Amino acid sequence: MVLTAAITLHHFFMENSLQKLIEDSSSILITSHISADADAVCSSLIVRSTLVANYPNKKVLVDLEEVPESLTFLPGFSTIHASPLDREVAKFQPNLIIMLDANNFDRCSRVGAEKTRRYIEANDVKVAIIDHHQPEGKDDVDLYIGNDSPATTQMAYDIFFGKLKMTKPTGYAEIALLGIMNDTNRFLYDNPNHRQTFSIISDLLDAGASIEKLEFKLNRYTKSQLVILAELISNTVVEEGMTYSYLGSKFRDKNLKDDSTAADLKVGCDLYLNNYVRNFENNSWGFIVYPDIASSSGHWGFSARSVGGSVDVSKIAHKLGGGGHISAAGAKISAKTAQEALNKAFGAIGAKSFAKITPGTNL
């Protein structure tokens, strides 16, 4: 009972500290990680629309360096700025930055993290983080709120509506439902906070949100996305205990020629990660390596998934400079070729039996 009371008091302090930071600020910038997924977008939209509804005299802006076009149907999507973070911070001149679904500025900007930090220090900008990932590598900020919630959208919902009792804005139900659905993989992942999750989901459904209608809007695929999925399936390597795949330089040069394919790349990779990489034979975990076409050449993405934490993939990602959850994590790898990126991934895994693997000829 004493421990429970202490935890409750700690949460009360954190949430009220956030409210004070908000109330003391006249301009608030909200941001999240690069390659923004639905949880990043939805948590950002929830926080923005809530602040606008409850503090109409404050300036509130969302800036995400990369925005998925598949989510344009969401209420408030058109309010999102898609600009380099350091430029938007200098232009908007916020008193407070709220970082969601990420714990450091390197996760929020491809090239502008240090410029952003310098601006914050020079102008005494306050920074608050709300994030449900593992805390390794987090920036030193004014306020950090982290827990084992399955989605940052769920954290935002609980903080602003459950704890701080703020007025819910128009469109909140569909936005919150999608954010939570996305990071729970349609409620498939193990979830220590399942009671809170399904209580919130029940409230959202009662408010008019529809899982069926959201699935209908989301499950639309382009030929390019399916070509990416097919290549990952074709390149699959199944080892004892682990599965992996890759998109090589030849595939990149032929099929991923410009930035317009970045969204297709994310969708195709997510299809493979969520439906295949953990499901080959008796394997319960795996990863993919793919060209990071949104960055300059010489950068590769690493994404890993495991069933029920059978392998803590966040530790592997952290060795590569990234992070995430025990069961889902990612990183960016500096490498000239897919083979070099794969070798670095094998090195982070630390299993000598994988280090000698030479994939097929599609590198």
Side-chain angles (χ1 to χ4, degrees):
M1 289 295 292
V2 174
L3 178 60
T4 300
I7 292 172
T8 301
L9 182 61
H10 175 70
H11 288 172
F12 176 82
F13 171 79
M14 301 295 278
E15 290 139 4
N16 280 271
S17 295
L18 175 63
Q19 187 170 28
K20 187 176 189 310
L21 284 174
I22 292 169
E23 292 178 348
D24 288 347
S25 303
S26 59
S27 57
I28 302 168
L29 186 144
I30 300 162
T31 192
S32 188
H33 58 79
I34 54 179
S35 299
D37 58 6
D39 189 30
V41 173
C42 290
S43 59
S44 297
L45 290 177
I46 281 286
V47 174
R48 178 197 173 276
S49 58
T50 300
L51 294 182
V52 169
N54 288 268
Y55 299 97
N57 294 325
K58 296 185 185 295
K59 295 188 295 182
V60 185
L61 179 145
V62 173
D63 182 63
L64 305 175
E65 288 199 349
E66 298 151 14
V67 184
E69 294 301 320
S70 60
L71 302 181
T72 55
F73 64 86
L74 285 172
F77 184 90
S78 62
T79 65
I80 298 174
H81 289 220
S83 305
L85 181 61
D86 58 312
R87 296 181 193 174
E88 200 63 49
V89 167
K91 179 180 177 182
F92 187 64
Q93 298 180 353
N95 310 120
L96 171 65
I97 296 175
I98 299 178
M99 185 189 303
L100 300 167
D101 205 34
N103 64 18
N104 65 65
F105 283 105
D106 295 291
R107 290 281 293 123
C108 298
S109 180
R110 292 195 178 275
V111 297
E114 285 307 314
K115 286 184 178 180
T116 301
R117 291 189 182 101
R118 288 197 294 269
Y119 181 93
I120 289 169
E121 183 176 359
N123 294 276
D124 194 27
V125 179
K126 304 301 181 184
V127 180
I129 292 175
I130 302 174
D131 183 35
H132 71 134
H133 296 95
Q134 298 297 305
E136 287 83 4
K138 71 179 181 68
D139 279 353
D140 184 15
V141 297
D142 298 278
L143 179 65
Y144 171 78
I145 302 177
N147 63 27
D148 57 358
S149 175
T152 298
T153 301
Q154 180 170 320
M155 291 181 67
Y157 187 98
D158 180 55
I159 291 169
F160 287 95
F161 305 144
K163 302 297 193 305
L164 299 180
K165 307 297 182 184
M166 292 190 184
T167 300
K168 296 172 182 174
T170 301
Y172 79 93
E174 183 178 34
I175 298 171
L177 178 60
L178 175 55
I180 297 171
M181 282 176 54
N182 177 82
D183 258 30
T184 60
N185 194 16
R186 278 62 169 176
F187 314 110
L188 290 178
Y189 295 153
D190 286 345
N191 176 6
N193 284 324
H194 61 273
R195 291 187 179 277
Q196 183 192 57
T197 299
F198 287 113
S199 176
I200 291 173
I201 295 300
S202 295
D203 291 343
L204 297 175
L205 298 179
D206 287 343
S210 168
I211 294 175
E212 181 181 9
K213 290 178 181 178
L214 273 179
E215 289 285 5
F216 179 79
K217 293 175 182 178
L218 291 170
N219 292 337
R220 292 289 179 270
Y221 305 115
T222 66
K223 181 179 179 180
S224 175
Q225 292 163 2
L226 297 181
V227 167
I228 291 166
L229 173 62
E231 181 74 2
L232 287 167
I233 293 173
S234 176
N235 292 342
T236 296
V237 177
V238 181
E239 294 289 325
E240 183 177 355
M242 180 193 76
T243 302
Y244 74 91
S245 187
Y246 58 89
L247 298 175
S249 301
K250 294 180 181 178
F251 182 84
R252 176 196 61 201
D253 295 342
K254 180 180 179 181
N255 298 281
L256 307 174
K257 296 181 180 180
D258 54 61
D259 290 343
S260 64
T261 57
D264 286 342
L265 176 63
K266 178 172 175 53
V267 172
C269 289
D270 283 349
L271 283 170
Y272 183 84
L273 287 165
N274 293 333
N275 297 289
Y276 297 98
V277 77
R278 301 169 301 171
N279 299 84
F280 282 100
E281 299 180 2
N282 293 322
N283 292 347
S284 62
W285 86 281
F287 71 89
I288 63 171
V289 165
Y290 55 92
D292 183 8
I293 61 175
S295 296
S296 58
S297 60
H299 290 86
W300 299 79
F302 167 89
S303 292
R305 299 288 187 273
S306 68
V307 175
S310 55
V311 171
D312 186 347
V313 294
S314 71
K315 292 183 178 179
I316 300 171
H318 184 61
K319 291 179 182 178
L320 294 168
H325 306 286
I326 292 174
S327 298
K332 303 300 179 186
I333 300 174
S334 295
K336 293 181 179 179
T337 66
Q339 180 67 75
E340 183 183 353
L342 282 167
N343 289 342
K344 288 187 175 182
F346 297 141
I349 292 168
K352 294 181 180 179
S353 59
F354 298 138
K356 61 184 180 182
I357 294 174
T358 300
T361 59
N362 294 329
L363 290 170

